[in-house]
Amino acid sequence: QVQVVQSGGGSVEAGGSLTLSCVVNGFSFGRTSMGWFRQAPGKQREAVAFISASGVFTEYGASVKGRFTISRDNANNSDTVFLQTSSLRPEDTAMYYCAAGGTWSRRLDPGWAKYWGQGTQVTVSS
């Protein structure tokens, strides 16, 4: 049974930091590209960051580049992907979702994500 379980998030003032975590099981984590997405009320879902299966390659959305860092722990049976956020802005307020996807080369394709986490709210106050 596939499980994608998120933790972290919360409320923070502008300029603050939060770390989101996503623990997965039920599939081959070390062979799966992972990503973080977010969706604010009334807005379309936005890709925040991607990381390749090995962790060698990462990619960030323009609005978070330089402020967010995606990483993963493939070792020690951890099977966890992280999103470290910093210099948070009110416009970063959204529900954040962890996703396990297909191949790295198709990460921008609609429907890339195969499995989704339950979502975690990040709220940034000014």
Side-chain angles (χ1 to χ4, degrees), residues 56-78:
V56 171
F57 301 108
T58 58
E59 185 174 10
Y60 298 91
S63 62
V64 306
K65 197 169 185 178
R67 300 187 298 120
F68 290 12
T69 301
I70 188 170
S71 61
R72 65 190 295 158
D73 185 357
N74 288 6
N76 304 317
N77 295 317
S78 174

Side-chain angles (χ1 to χ4, degrees), residues 3 9 14 16 20-21 36 41 46 49 54-55 60 63 65 67 75 77 79 82 85 91 99 105 110 120 126:
Q3 290 182 313
L20 310 183
S21 301
W36 287 94
E46 173 189 9
S54 65
Y60 298 91
S63 62
K65 197 169 185 178
R67 300 187 298 120
N77 295 317
D79 292 356
F82 304 93
T85 70
E91 53 265 40
S105 62
T120 184
S126 58

Side-chain angles (χ1 to χ4, degrees), residues 81-99:
V81 62
F82 304 93
L83 185 68
Q84 295 174 281
T85 70
S86 63
S87 301
L88 284 164
R89 306 165 180 168
E91 53 265 40
D92 293 318
T93 295
M95 186 71 78
Y96 283 69
Y97 296 92
C98 174

